[in-house]
């Protein structure tokens, strides 16, 4: 069987740029997983691991000009956007190095024997250990921050798990370049290069999730693709955790008081958020409940002006462009749906931004308009006009799980009686709740949560922030174990100086 070439393609023209690699065979996936498994013990050294993560951040920055050039050629995202994404990517590695240094992620708990309890307590010592080889499936829309050097990779390495990345076909050259940087960083930190490997090809991704040496997986992509991998992970003879980010509508509710007091501000902010990155953010506000009446009309007037002034742009690939155009046509053809600014084709390779409108009453019960409650990837959002708080809440009750949910309220909370009830209706829908801000932009911070109820994600964990490391760990308790046999993290004298809880108290 001949090798299947992997081409780097220019989305601005649709033309191939260069052959980057070949698709991995089942045997090559087996070798990659086996090599990763063989070097897992090398990552047990926390000091070396933290040094590796910091070295990776520095080398990514030093290679920034080449990485940004390659990523722009394959994604058309532009140097400005990619410069910011590279900075975020390096920051993630440094942030996880700090997590490793601090050691709090180990969640060490020690309970000394207590014969007076009923039943008596033996000596119990608990911490977390790495799961093993992690499979990471790279995203299309973030060629750096959610791909080969992305948060899934950084957090898995921080946990002590070697990583095999299934590269995304939209940016294979960028993937290979970033992989070479990470492997060089590992070598400089005294670790085997095979703590990070990359494979290409659809079939390779399927083989990877089924491989018996793979112990967990992280995915960012479509509901269809993610669900297929999730099901495969669960159907294995030994099921494994699958942390998938699959899709999100990211609903926004504008209260009546907010529309009266801030119509122009909200309309402009919404237009900027929904068109950011050509609408290709997983946190794009794709569904907005706006009150009926003059204030809501003014909001849409500003939104129209903002979106109309947005130039046409290239999507990540032509397949996504076709799906965007088909999705817009399907939604716009529904009864009662208007298009104040029609999104669609702006040229052979570009698209223009726009938005659709619909009475909220058409969405309170199951029907053909349910397509408006599903994500449409690209620069489009749906505006549903509601007549009462109860009607808005009825629509929210029909929404699936989301990464974010946003409330736009009056800044004077005492004059916005709808804010509390609508915020309560939004909270069950998402992992991050915003008030009077916009969801595009996910800060890499310890308290961040980037996840949500299904189909936003397939687990309750986050893929951004310090606690993302927990996805790649499992707890182990040692009972009545002699000091000489305990791992250093659990010994009585705490030789590593790690944070811990002893007999229920922080030590």
């Amino acid at each position: 069987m001949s090798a299947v070439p992997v081409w780097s393609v220019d989305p601005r023209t649709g033309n191939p740029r260069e052959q980057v690699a070949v698709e991995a065979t089942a045997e090559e996936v087996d070798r990659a997983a086996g090599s990763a498994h063989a070097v897992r013990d090398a990552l047990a050294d926390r000091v070396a691991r933290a040094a590796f993560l910091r070295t990776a951040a520095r080398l990514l920055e030093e290679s920034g000009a080449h990485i940004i050039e390659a990523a722009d050629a394959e994604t058309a995202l532009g140097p400005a956007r990619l410069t910011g994404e590279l900075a975020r990517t390096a920051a993630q590695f440094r942030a996880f190095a700090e997590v490793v240094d601090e050691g709090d992620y180990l969640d060490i708990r020690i309970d000394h024997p207590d014969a007076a309890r009923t039943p008596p307590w033996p000596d119990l010592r608990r911490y977390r250990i790495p799961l093993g080889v992690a499979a990471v499936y790279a995203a299309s829309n973030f060629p750096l921050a959610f791909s080969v050097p992305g948060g899934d990779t950084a957090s898995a390495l921080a946990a002590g798990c070697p990583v095999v990345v299934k590269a995304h076909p939209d940016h294979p050259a960028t993937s290979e370049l970033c992989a070479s940087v990470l492997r060089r960083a590992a070598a400089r930190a005294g670790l085997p290069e095979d703590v990070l490997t990359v494979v290409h090809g659809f079939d390779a991704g399927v083989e990877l999730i089924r491989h018996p040496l793979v112990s967990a997986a992280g995915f960012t992509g479509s509901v269809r693709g993610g669900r297929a991998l999730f099901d495969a992970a669960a159907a294995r003879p030994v099921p494994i955790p699958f942390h998938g980010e699959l899709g999100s509508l990211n609903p926004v509710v504008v209260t009546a008081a907010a529309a009266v007091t801030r119509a122009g501000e909200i309309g402009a902010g919404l237009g900027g958020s929904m068109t950011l990155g050509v609408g290709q953010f997983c946190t794009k506000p794709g569904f907005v409940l706006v009150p009926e009446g003059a204030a809501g009309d003014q909001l849409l007037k500003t939104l129209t002006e903002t979106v109309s002034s947005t130039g046409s742009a290239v999507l990540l690939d032509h397949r996504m462009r076709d799906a965007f155009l088909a999705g817009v046509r399907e939604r716009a053809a529904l009864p009662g749906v208007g298009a104040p600014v029609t999104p669609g084709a702006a040229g052979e390779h570009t698209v223009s931004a726009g938005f659709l409108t619909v009475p909220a009453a058409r969405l309170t019960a199951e029907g053909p308009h349910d397509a408006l409650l599903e994500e449409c990837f690209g620069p489009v959002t749906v505006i549903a006009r509601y007549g009462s708080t109860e009607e808005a809440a009825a629509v929210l009750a029909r929404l699936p799980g989301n990464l974010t949910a946003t409330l736009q309220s009056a800044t004077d909370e005492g004059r916005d009686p709808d804010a509390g009830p609508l915020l309560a209706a939004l909270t069950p829908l998402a992992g991050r709740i915003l008030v009077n801000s916009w969801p595009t932009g996910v800060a890499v911070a310890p308290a961040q949560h980037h996840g949500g109820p299904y189909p936003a994600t397939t687990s309750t964990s986050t893929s951004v922030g310090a606690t993302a490391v927990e996805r790649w760990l499992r707890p182990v308790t040692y009972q009545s174990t002699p000091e000489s046999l305990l791992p250093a993290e659990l010994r009585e004298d705490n030789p590593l100086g790690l944070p811990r809880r002893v007999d229920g108290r922080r030590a």
Side-chain angles (χ1 to χ4, degrees), residues 395-433:
V395 174
L396 292 175
R398 300 199 61 242
L399 295 186
N402 290 271
L403 294 171
T404 74
T406 300
L407 177 72
Q408 295 290 341
S409 65
T411 53
D412 183 351
E413 296 177 8
R415 297 187 178 182
D416 197 341
D418 297 333
L422 287 173
L423 187 65
L426 285 169
T427 298
L429 297 179
R432 179 163 58 108
I433 310 299

Side-chain angles (χ1 to χ4, degrees), residues 20-348:
V20 173
V22 295
E23 294 187 0
T25 63
E27 292 76 15
E28 288 165 337
V29 171
D30 180 58
R31 282 198 295 272
S35 296
H37 182 73
V39 302
R40 67 194 187 284
D41 290 345
L43 286 170
D45 185 335
R46 288 175 48 251
V47 174
R49 215 156 72 230
F52 168 34
L53 295 170
R54 290 191 172 92
T55 302
R58 178 171 55 81
L59 294 186
L60 284 166
E61 290 170 336
E62 290 177 0
S63 303
H66 297 298
I67 292 172
I68 290 167
E69 181 182 14
D72 181 50
E74 293 186 306
T75 66
L77 289 174
R81 149 72 192 273
L82 291 166
T83 297
E85 187 178 336
L86 180 64
R88 171 203 176 97
T89 302
Q92 286 182 152
F93 275 90
R94 291 193 174 98
F96 282 115
E98 292 178 7
V99 168
V100 174
D101 284 341
E102 292 167 358
D104 204 45
Y105 72 98
L106 294 168
D107 193 27
I108 298 172
R109 296 170 183 264
I110 296 175
D111 292 321
H112 290 109
D114 188 346
R117 290 184 177 269
T118 305
W121 281 9
D123 186 272
L124 298 169
R125 295 166 187 254
R126 180 186 190 270
Y127 78 145
R128 290 171 172 159
I129 64 172
L131 287 170
V133 177
V136 168
Y137 293 80
S140 63
N141 56 340
F142 282 84
L144 306 177
F146 284 86
S147 293
V148 171
D152 282 351
T153 296
S155 59
L157 291 170
C161 295
V163 174
V164 180
V165 182
K166 190 274 178 186
H168 197 279
D170 276 358
H171 38 78
T174 307
S175 298
E176 285 292 325
L177 178 55
C178 289
S180 69
V181 171
L182 296 186
R183 288 171 66 84
R184 184 154 40 96
R188 290 196 183 181
L191 296 173
E193 291 186 348
D194 283 346
V195 296
L196 186 285
T197 55
V198 169
V199 296
H200 297 266
F202 177 86
D203 291 343
V206 176
E207 291 290 339
L208 188 60
I209 199 66
R210 294 173 176 168
H211 198 283
L213 294 181
V214 169
S215 299
F219 171 91
T220 302
S222 69
V223 173
R224 181 180 177 184
R227 183 54 193 258
L229 290 171
F230 173 80
D231 291 345
R236 290 168 37 128
V238 178
I240 60 171
F242 182 86
H243 305 289
E245 180 191 321
L246 310 188
S248 187
L249 194 61
N250 303 302
V252 178
V253 178
V254 181
T255 68
V260 169
T261 59
R262 301 196 296 118
E265 174 191 339
I266 294 171
L270 172 59
S273 184
M274 58 149 292
T275 59
L276 187 65
V278 204
Q280 297 173 116
F281 280 39
C282 55
T283 52
K284 179 200 74 177
F287 180 78
V288 188
L289 282 156
V290 174
E292 297 172 351
D297 293 344
Q298 182 59 45
L299 189 157
L300 263 63
K301 181 176 182 294
T302 305
L303 177 62
T304 298
E305 294 168 353
T306 303
V307 173
S308 297
S309 66
T310 303
S312 61
V314 176
L315 292 179
L316 290 163
D317 63 36
H318 283 63
R319 176 182 56 82
M320 291 183 188
R321 181 180 182 274
D322 292 344
F324 169 71
L325 296 177
V328 168
R329 283 196 300 269
E330 175 193 358
R331 290 161 173 79
L334 292 168
V337 173
V341 182
T342 304
E348 186 180 357

